[in-house]
Amino acid sequence: MTLLTVTPERFPIRGSFTIARGSKTEAAVVTVELRDGDHVGRGECVPYGRYGETVAGVVEQLTALEKLVAEGVRRTDLMALMRPGAARNALDCAMWDLEARRARMRVYEMAGLPAPLPVVTAYTLSLDTPKAMAEAARLSGHELLKLKLGAEGDLARLKAIRAAVPQARLIVDANEGWSPDILEAHLDACAAAGVELVEQPLPAADDALLARIARPVLVCADESAHGLDSLDALAGRYDAINIKLDKTGGLTEAIELTRAARAAGLDIMVGCMVGTSLAMAPALLLAPLARFVDLDGPLLLAADRTPALRYEGSVVYPPEPDLWG
């Protein structure tokens, strides 16, 4: 019999984390533990209000499955039992972890994925004044910076940051914060500044314009992309897709979505919410298939959980078995 434990946890953020939709000072996560005799599998999710999720709601979804888990429900059954989202992600990843420990294999081997290797991750700069963001960029020491934009003054922010770090690679995340009347000018400015990719410039419900304009820089779907059923709507509008396990509902669907998106000619970014190393570890298995990796969640925390992923400068290393997988 497999025992399910669901635990909400909070991890303070170093300072605060600000995007176009607001600020927060802690990461509220939900951890799932599956225990089967001597074997324990774990997973973590980050409920996200933008998608109507709450910690309490995710805990309720998961605890309602206690009997099914005890009876041996399979990971492959979850896609029919649960909608894509944070709750399914935590359970799916815990099931992968438990299966790997039972089989004495690594998850990437079981999933038929390439062995993960150390990889450069983006480092996120919180939305702030041009001066503050430029100084944060200068002090960061990271080679790939993700700039949170999406508010008045973005062009000044971009100019100040590029002047502060002329050699850094830049990506931009507008978090649905731009409007159609400024879109082309802002994309042109990003291209002129050497920005490699712009995430979700327009609101997800109002992104059709992207199919009718020239895109001088790669445009990546984030809030417009969730699971496999969202892929067809991206055609012609986006050049890349940000795959986050909290959106796909776990590694199982994320693998399928990654392969389908690549087959459709889309570049892959593997991304994250602000969470701990336990949430990043499964996503790192997709890194060999991705053009961009944005798994810096633990770097934004005041303290990560133990055991943790190994970060050295801009490089994050694959998870060790004592953490996950």
Side-chain angles (χ1 to χ4, degrees):
M1 182 172 70
T2 303
L3 300 178
L4 168 68
T5 303
V6 181
T7 307
E9 298 180 87
R10 295 183 181 273
F11 292 83
I13 291 172
R14 195 181 330 111
S16 64
F17 183 72
T18 302
I19 65 172
R21 283 190 290 272
S23 299
K24 61 181 181 178
T25 58
E26 63 180 10
V29 311
V30 177
T31 305
V32 164
E33 180 181 283
L34 299 175
R35 184 174 294 274
D36 177 12
D38 294 333
H39 303 295
V40 178
R42 298 188 304 153
E44 177 187 307
C45 70
V46 184
Y48 197 37
R50 167 67 178 80
Y51 306 131
E53 297 174 332
T54 65
V55 168
V58 165
V59 170
E60 183 179 359
Q61 277 184 268
L62 289 166
T63 53
L65 297 172
E66 185 174 4
K67 183 178 178 183
L68 281 176
V69 170
E71 293 173 347
V73 66
R74 297 173 299 174
R75 173 178 48 80
T76 49
D77 297 327
L78 295 184
M79 290 173 68
L81 288 171
M82 305 174 73
R83 64 179 182 272
R88 197 177 80 188
N89 176 34
L91 184 54
D92 178 85
C93 290
M95 286 181 165
W96 273 111
D97 193 26
L98 182 61
E99 289 173 30
R101 295 179 192 282
R102 285 170 172 163
R104 297 189 178 185
M105 295 177 63
R106 299 306 305 270
V107 169
Y108 74 85
E109 296 172 313
M110 297 174 59
L113 294 170
L117 298 171
V119 64
V120 171
T121 178
Y123 179 76
T124 304
L125 298 184
S126 198
L127 181 65
D128 208 326
T129 65
K131 181 178 179 180
M133 291 186 73
E135 182 66 3
R138 187 182 67 80
L139 294 174
S140 74
H142 288 271
E143 62 183 82
L144 176 60
L145 297 176
K146 177 173 175 173
L147 318 179
K148 287 291 188 179
L149 301 182
E152 186 175 353
D154 278 347
L155 297 186
R157 292 183 181 92
L158 185 59
K159 182 178 180 180
I161 292 164
R162 177 45 87 199
V165 286
Q167 303 305 319
R169 297 172 58 205
L170 302 179
I171 57 180
V172 160
D173 186 0
N175 281 117
E176 305 180 278
W178 293 349
S179 57
D181 60 308
I182 65 171
L183 175 63
E184 291 181 88
H186 279 51
L187 290 178
D188 286 343
C190 286
V195 171
E196 298 180 25
L197 175 139
V198 174
E199 279 186 76
Q200 201 67 44
L202 297 175
D206 191 25
D207 63 357
L209 177 60
L210 290 168
R212 304 195 298 271
I213 64 167
R215 299 192 295 270
V217 60
L218 293 177
V219 178
C220 179
D222 185 357
E223 287 85 351
S224 290
H226 293 265
L228 281 162
D229 60 356
S230 66
L231 185 58
D232 289 347
L234 308 182
R237 301 182 185 187
Y238 293 96
D239 309 292
I241 177 174
N242 188 343
I243 296 178
K244 297 178 180 176
L245 272 60
D246 277 314
K247 294 190 301 176
T248 64
L251 182 62
T252 301
E253 186 159 342
I255 293 169
E256 294 187 31
L257 178 58
T258 298
R259 290 169 173 159
R262 282 163 55 96
L266 292 170
D267 282 317
I268 304 299
M269 168 184 273
V270 54
C272 66
M273 309 301 184
V274 182
T276 79
S277 284
L278 182 57
M280 307 301 120
L284 271 167
L285 271 60
L286 300 178
L289 306 177
R291 181 169 175 178
F292 298 93
V293 175
D294 178 26
L295 297 175
D296 65 338
L299 298 179
L300 307 177
L301 302 177
D304 197 0
R305 68 170 73 244
T306 303
L309 288 171
R310 173 184 167 198
Y311 288 87
E312 290 186 1
S314 300
V315 176
V316 56
Y317 287 76
E320 296 294 336
D322 60 346
L323 171 62
W324 185 88

